[in-house]
Amino acid sequence: MLGRGVRYFEELVEETAAKGDSKVIQGKEAFFMYDSLGFPLDLTELMAEEAGFSVDSDGFAAEMQAQKDRSRLAAQLQKQVGDGAPLVLQAEETAWLAARSLPPTDDAEKYAWDVTAAASVQAIFTADGFLEAGKAASAATGAVGVVLDRSAFYAEAGGQVADQGELKVMDSEGNVAATVAVHDVQVYAGYVLHLGTVTSGEVKDADSVVPAVDYERRKKVVPNHTITHVLNHALRQVLGGDVAQKGSLVNDDKLRFDFSHNKALTPKQLSEVERLVQESIGEALPVFSEVLPLQEAQQISGLQAVFGEVYPDPVRVISVGHDINDIRNDLENEQWATRSIEFCGGQHLSNTADAECFALVEETAVAKGVRRIVAVTRDSARQAAAIGCELADAASALGGMTASDLEDRTAELRKELEEKGPLISAIKRTEVRAGLEASQKKIAAEKKKVLDATIAAGIGHMEAEVKAAVARGDSFVVLDVKLGVDSKAVKKATKILNKEAKTTAILCLSEEDPGSGGKLLCFAVVPEVLNRIR
């Protein structure tokens, strides 16, 4: 484990140095080393210092807190099911359903919107197993899993999170008699399990329920899924056809895409990927879906599939920009490879224009040879672009500032970048960091200029004081010199003292920042003649 951690750190330093925009190991990287590779923060900080880097300890602390929050939530969810075991339908449970002649759930409506058709409760699953016929579940039951004969909810699959919402239990007069809050949806052997809690009333098998999918939330998820396909294609255009999908996550906040690649993308490559995706959105490309025989679908030119994944037969095909009916007429036409075509059972937009906007906010390593991109769409993307432009403009303005204002404004902007960094486009973040780096160099050069002048004046004053002490015949003298704590200045001063103070011992004191009470440098020169007298 230690060897893996060292190799990971060395690759991380190399990649960060190659970007040239920072010498800081990000907090999430440090936390990954701690959480997955067993590296304590102080060891990572020591290695970083030896490599000329620093570690974002605040970011590390934030990642640590986030993990604690996740653990706390998981513990709470486990308590809801009694003994801590998750509600999962194993082979024994699905066989129980089949033995009672309950067919798998018809979930064809998961691709539809604003569905209100009633469904029937087939079974209710709890931590103690399936409830007996006629026995009701209530809030006191805790977590429940409701199996319906039909469902408009999308069950988690293919990297896309499940729908959320409610099941409304209707009485004979069409009134809502009970409500089940649905937090998650999973599918087992074709049976869709709606996981949640009873928030009002009671629910039992054979009850009639009306689905109330949270379609507003789904509207935020679906653009991220379609644009993940577009992103996959854009990466292959920029990096080459060897790029392979290694995983994905699509939710209502963002999209995350893992892919095979051996090094960090350059700012130019990131910019080109973002441009290609945004271009596809701007072209308002129609998105087509069709279920095809697996053997036929596998012949489509340019088709993308996840290596090692077992696909059903028939299989659902999602095509961005090319009508699948046209594709079927000429499967091997190389034109199809110019757009994204993938096997996918997820939910998608009908047109890329509905994604509205795209911003790539992060690109990082997650394992050797595997990179990860995090991106956002719609309002989140517009916000990322706006904040990025605002900070980039502020960084550009640093070049015209006076030296007296530059250091404070640079520090302020660096703090802003730390706070808003995760929310802005990765390309703009690189621009801001470049501006800050240039500003820091300018500040350092100005400080060096001032320090050089101060040291020159200090050495001149010291030399005059020493000559006066020698002329007076003093055997020793203590001097307050203005050299800061610069080691090169001390060497130069010592050389002058050895030359001028042939009969006088000299003790020099120099503050790093006069009057601050900070670091104090002390050095002395004792002539050889005084050593012999002793």
Side-chain angles (χ1 to χ4, degrees), residues 464-500:
E465 289 285 334
V466 169
K467 287 180 178 180
V470 171
R472 291 194 302 269
D474 294 341
S475 59
F476 73 91
V477 66
V478 178
L479 299 178
D480 178 11
V481 296
K482 302 295 189 293
L483 304 181
V485 292
D486 186 88
S487 59
K488 291 182 179 180
V490 171
K491 288 181 180 180
K492 186 175 181 181
T494 302
K495 186 176 181 180
I496 291 173
L497 293 175
N498 283 325
K499 177 183 176 182
E500 300 293 341

Side-chain angles (χ1 to χ4, degrees), residues 120-147:
S120 177
V121 176
Q122 302 285 77
I124 299 174
F125 189 56
T126 72
D128 297 321
F130 287 105
L131 294 184
E132 297 177 4
K135 187 174 181 180
S138 65
T141 307
V144 297
V146 180
V147 179

Side-chain angles (χ1 to χ4, degrees), residues 28-272:
K28 62 184 174 183
E29 300 289 0
F31 183 76
F32 174 79
M33 294 181 66
Y34 164 81
D35 191 47
S36 300
L37 303 177
F39 265 53
L41 178 61
D42 55 357
L43 178 56
T44 302
E45 289 176 330
L46 178 61
M47 293 172 63
E49 183 178 355
E50 291 175 350
F53 279 65
S54 62
V55 177
D56 176 16
S57 57
D58 290 341
F60 176 92
E63 292 291 328
M64 177 69 83
Q65 185 60 48
Q67 187 197 55
K68 290 179 180 178
D69 293 342
R70 289 192 296 269
S71 297
R72 188 179 301 111
L73 178 60
Q76 291 172 349
L77 291 174
Q78 285 183 338
K79 289 179 181 178
Q80 290 177 3
V81 298
D83 62 0
L87 291 181
V88 175
L89 297 184
Q90 306 285 4
E92 180 181 354
E93 284 81 28
T94 56
W96 185 92
L97 292 169
R100 281 153 181 77
S101 300
L102 298 177
T105 308
D106 177 0
D107 64 350
E109 291 176 325
K110 66 186 178 184
Y111 298 121
W113 294 80
D114 302 319
V115 176
T116 57
S120 177
V121 176
Q122 302 285 77
I124 299 174
F125 189 56
T126 72
D128 297 321
F130 287 105
L131 294 184
E132 297 177 4
K135 187 174 181 180
S138 65
T141 307
V144 297
V146 180
V147 179
L148 304 176
D149 63 339
R150 59 191 293 184
S151 177
F153 284 79
Y154 179 84
E156 180 182 351
Q160 180 179 330
V161 297
D163 277 333
Q164 294 180 350
E166 291 182 332
L167 297 177
K168 297 181 179 181
V169 181
M170 312 303 292
D171 62 20
S172 59
E173 297 179 357
N175 299 314
V176 177
T179 304
V180 179
V182 178
H183 307 302
D184 189 18
V185 185
Q186 300 291 328
V187 60
Y188 303 99
Y191 294 101
V192 177
L193 191 67
H194 304 77
L195 296 157
T197 55
V198 180
T199 54
S200 67
E202 294 181 336
V203 58
K204 60 184 183 300
D205 62 323
D207 276 347
S208 176
V209 300
V210 172
V213 176
D214 185 350
Y215 288 111
E216 288 304 312
R217 176 177 177 271
R218 185 193 284 186
K219 286 177 183 177
K220 298 176 183 178
V221 176
V222 173
N224 290 338
H225 199 159
T226 301
I227 295 306
T228 299
H229 286 216
V230 178
L231 171 63
N232 186 8
H233 189 265
L235 285 168
R236 292 173 62 83
Q237 286 181 279
V238 174
L239 303 179
D242 293 336
V243 170
Q245 179 176 343
K246 294 297 182 181
S248 65
L249 171 67
V250 178
N251 60 27
D252 52 331
D253 292 325
K254 62 183 180 298
L255 64 92
R256 190 182 75 198
F257 186 77
D258 297 346
F259 58 99
S260 60
H261 196 58
N262 289 321
K263 56 185 178 180
L265 274 67
T266 65
K268 183 177 180 181
Q269 288 172 327
L270 288 172
S271 182
E272 180 63 6

Side-chain angles (χ1 to χ4, degrees), residues 264-306:
L265 274 67
T266 65
K268 183 177 180 181
Q269 288 172 327
L270 288 172
S271 182
E272 180 63 6
V273 168
E274 189 172 79
R275 185 193 69 78
L276 287 171
V277 175
Q278 189 59 50
E279 185 177 84
S280 293
I281 294 173
E283 287 178 310
L285 301 172
V287 180
F288 301 91
S289 67
E290 196 76 43
V291 177
L292 303 180
L294 181 60
Q295 185 175 7
E296 177 186 3
Q298 288 173 329
Q299 299 176 48
I300 298 174
S301 175
L303 175 80
Q304 291 302 300
V306 179

